[in-house]
C-alpha cells in the first residue's frame, strides 16, 4: 500500500528523543479539492504514515483509522465564506469489552506493518459517497433542508470555500510491536488474544506513540453544484 510518489509527511511524533521508541511522521491529502454535489463520488481523504524505525513495526490501527476519525467528528471544517466552524456529526464508539464469556476475535485487518522510511496510506470516503450528498431540487423549489452539520462534505454549501483542519482528540497509536504482521500476530508463545489487544490497554507490548497531527497543514477545498 506504499507509494513513494506520495507527499513527504510533515508532522512527526513526540518521541524523537527516545531511541527505543520509533518515530512516525504523518501527512494527508484530499482527492479532490473540488466536490460536486451532483456527483455520486465523494472526495477521498488520504492519511499517510511513515516509520523512521530501523526495522519494520506493526501497529494496531484503531485510533488513527480515517473512517473512525471522521465518524467521531474529530476533524475541523472551517467555512471561509460564512466565517464559521461547521458543526460535525459525531458517533461515539464503545470501547467497553463484552462479557468474559463472549469470544473476541483477533481483528487482523487492524494490523498494518510499517517499513522503514516507506509511506503507508489509509483512506476513507470524505462523505457518504453512496448518493449525491446534495441532490438537486426542481427549478423554482427552495432548499429548506437543515444543513448545519456535516460529516465530510455532507452538509456543506454550494459555492462556499472551506479549510480542512486536523481538529483534536486523535493521533495516537496505542498498540505496536517490532516485526512484520504475520510474525507479530503469531509470536512464539501462541497467537495473540483478540480481547487483550482490543481492550486490555495495560498489556500493550510498548508505550503508545503520539503522532503530531496538530502540525498537519490545512487543506483548502470547495463545494459546487
Amino acid at each position: 500500500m506504499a507509494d513513494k510518489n506520495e507527499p513527504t509527511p510533515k508532522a512527526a511524533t513526540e518521541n524523537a528523543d527516545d531511541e527505543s521508541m520509533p518515530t512516525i511522521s504523518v501527512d494527508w491529502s484530499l482527492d479532490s479539492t473540488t466536490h460536486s454535489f451532483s456527483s455520486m463520488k465523494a472526495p477521498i481523504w488520504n492519511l499517510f504514515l511513515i516509520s523512521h524505525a530501523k526495522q519494520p513495526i506493526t501497529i494496531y490501527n484503531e485510533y488513527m483509522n480515517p473512517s473512525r476519525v471522521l465518524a467521531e467528528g474529530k476533524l475541523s471544517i472551517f467555512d471561509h465564506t460564512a466565517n464559521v466552524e461547521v458543526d460535525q456529526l459525531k458517533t461515539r464508539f464503545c470501547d467497553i469489552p463484552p462479557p468474559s464469556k463472549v469470544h473476541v476475535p483477533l481483528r487482523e485487518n487492524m494490523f498494518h506493518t510499517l517499513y522503514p522510511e516507506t509511506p503507508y496510506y489509509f483512506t476513507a470516503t470524505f462523505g457518504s459517497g453512496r448518493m449525491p450528498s446534495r441532490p438537486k431540487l426542481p427549478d423554482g423549489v427552495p432548499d429548506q433542508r437543515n444543513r448545519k452539520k456535516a460529516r465530510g462534505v455532507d452538509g456543506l454549501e454550494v459555492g462556499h470555500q472551506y479549510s480542512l483542519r486536523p481538529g483534536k482528540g486523535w493521533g495516537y497509536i496505542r498498540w505496536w510491536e517490532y516485526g512484520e504482521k504475520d510474525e507479530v500476530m503469531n509470536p512464539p508463545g501462541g497467537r495473540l488474544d483478540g480481547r487483550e489487544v482490543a481492550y486490555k490497554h495495560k498489556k500493550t507490548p510498548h508505550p503508545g506513540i503520539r503522532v503530531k497531527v496538530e502540525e498537519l497543514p490545512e487543506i483548502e477545498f470547495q463545494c459546487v453544484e
Side-chain angles (χ1 to χ4, degrees), residues 28 45 47 63-64 69 74-75 166-172 213 216:
W28 64 352
W45 172 32
L47 185 69
Y63 300 133
M64 289 286 286
V69 173
K74 291 183 176 179
L75 298 180
K168 299 179 180 180
W170 66 288
Y172 184 64
V213 296
L216 285 167

Side-chain angles (χ1 to χ4, degrees), residues 19-63:
E19 294 182 355
S20 65
M21 180 78 71
T23 59
I24 296 178
S25 298
V26 61
D27 203 356
W28 64 352
S29 67
L30 196 61
D31 182 23
S32 77
T33 55
T34 297
H35 174 60
S36 171
F37 283 112
S38 60
S39 172
M40 296 288 289
K41 183 180 179 181
I44 299 298
W45 172 32
N46 303 296
L47 185 69
F48 309 93
L49 296 181
I50 182 169
S51 169
H52 304 291
K54 295 182 180 180
Q55 57 181 303
I57 67 169
T58 294
I59 64 172
Y60 185 78
N61 193 31
E62 51 188 337
Y63 300 133

